[in-house]
Amino acid sequence: MDFFGGGQAKPQGPDPIFAATTEMEMYTDLFNKIARTCFSKCASRKHKEEDLALGEMSCADRCVAKYLEAQEKVGVVLQHANEAQAAQQAQAQQLQQSFGG
């Protein structure tokens, strides 16, 4: 081991910079999908005003809320599926070890 810590091994695990970058890309993608979907559903292309009308604003609010609610439900389903898969893999490893593999 070196005085400045050069001889120390790096801790194993996920790279925090990669994780943060991936998370930011995911949120950017989610925002872009919400903006594209809700704008095309709610904004009128007939008017040339800068601001949205009251009906367009409430439509956009409902659209974003529904989109985020759906994303949350999908996330929960995927989390349960991942947990079930992890449990199944652990059970398969235990079975393999019990048979001397």
Side-chain angles (χ1 to χ4, degrees), residues 22-33:
T22 304
E23 187 176 9
M24 283 305 299
E25 288 173 357
M26 181 191 71
Y27 281 123
T28 301
D29 185 48
L30 176 65
F31 175 80
N32 288 334
K33 285 180 182 178

Side-chain angles (χ1 to χ4, degrees), residues 15-88:
D15 180 20
I17 303 237
F18 175 75
T21 303
T22 304
E23 187 176 9
M24 283 305 299
E25 288 173 357
M26 181 191 71
Y27 281 123
T28 301
D29 185 48
L30 176 65
F31 175 80
N32 288 334
K33 285 180 182 178
I34 289 173
R36 185 174 41 251
T37 302
C38 294
F39 184 81
S40 67
K41 278 185 172 184
C42 298
S44 172
R45 303 211 188 283
K46 297 175 188 172
H47 302 352
K48 298 190 190 261
E49 298 174 14
E50 285 183 24
D51 297 331
L52 294 174
L54 184 61
E56 293 170 327
M57 284 189 283
S58 62
C59 175
D61 285 342
R62 286 190 310 269
C63 180
V64 169
K66 288 177 184 178
Y67 204 99
L68 292 176
E69 184 180 347
Q71 285 292 111
E72 184 179 343
K73 287 180 181 180
V74 168
V76 168
V77 169
L78 288 176
Q79 183 178 0
H80 289 307
N82 286 339
E83 289 170 356
Q85 184 180 16
Q88 188 178 23

